Amino acid sequence: MDSVSLEAGLLLAGILFTLGLIGVLVRRNIIFMLVSVEIMLNSAGLAFIVAGMRWAQPDGQVMFIFILTMAAAEVSVGLALILQLYHNLKTLDTDAASILKG
């Protein structure tokens, strides 16, 4: 079976991380920002898996499972906060959430 080279896997992970970072910085909708953070976390997991495959160690897969559990916790807390924000403000725009200061 052909395997992916280390350079190609890390390049893909870097591109995905950059796209997720751009999504967080550009979008104002909280749902899209949450999805962008998920893309960034998955790209980090991909980098761990590619590195683990390169050195034939299962550590990359273990770290990916850890990243998946952290992402699940982040999504559950994030969605709960989003529901409360939408219930109070009737919008998902991050600029509107700035009135909650103070």
Side-chain angles (χ1 to χ4, degrees):
M1 174 153 76
D2 294 332
S3 63
V4 178
S5 69
L6 179 69
E7 293 82 16
L10 291 179
L11 179 67
L12 178 62
I15 291 171
L16 285 174
F17 189 86
T18 304
L19 288 174
L21 184 63
I22 290 170
V24 168
L25 295 176
V26 171
R27 300 300 293 236
R28 294 288 91 198
N29 190 325
I30 298 175
I31 299 286
F32 285 113
M33 292 173 75
L34 191 63
V35 169
S36 296
V37 169
E38 290 297 318
I39 290 172
M40 291 168 61
L41 287 172
N42 284 327
S43 70
L46 177 64
F48 276 117
I49 287 179
V50 169
M53 182 185 67
R54 165 69 172 87
W55 287 287
Q57 296 291 323
D59 299 342
Q61 295 173 2
V62 171
M63 286 303 296
F64 186 69
I65 291 172
F66 177 71
I67 289 172
L68 284 179
T69 57
M70 293 304 296
E74 177 253 337
V75 165
S76 63
V77 171
L79 285 177
L81 290 172
I82 288 170
L83 286 173
Q84 285 298 316
L85 183 71
Y86 185 75
H87 178 71
N88 290 333
L89 300 176
K90 304 295 186 236
T91 184
L92 293 177
D93 190 25
T94 56
D95 294 332
S98 66
I99 66 167
L100 296 176
K101 289 182 184 177

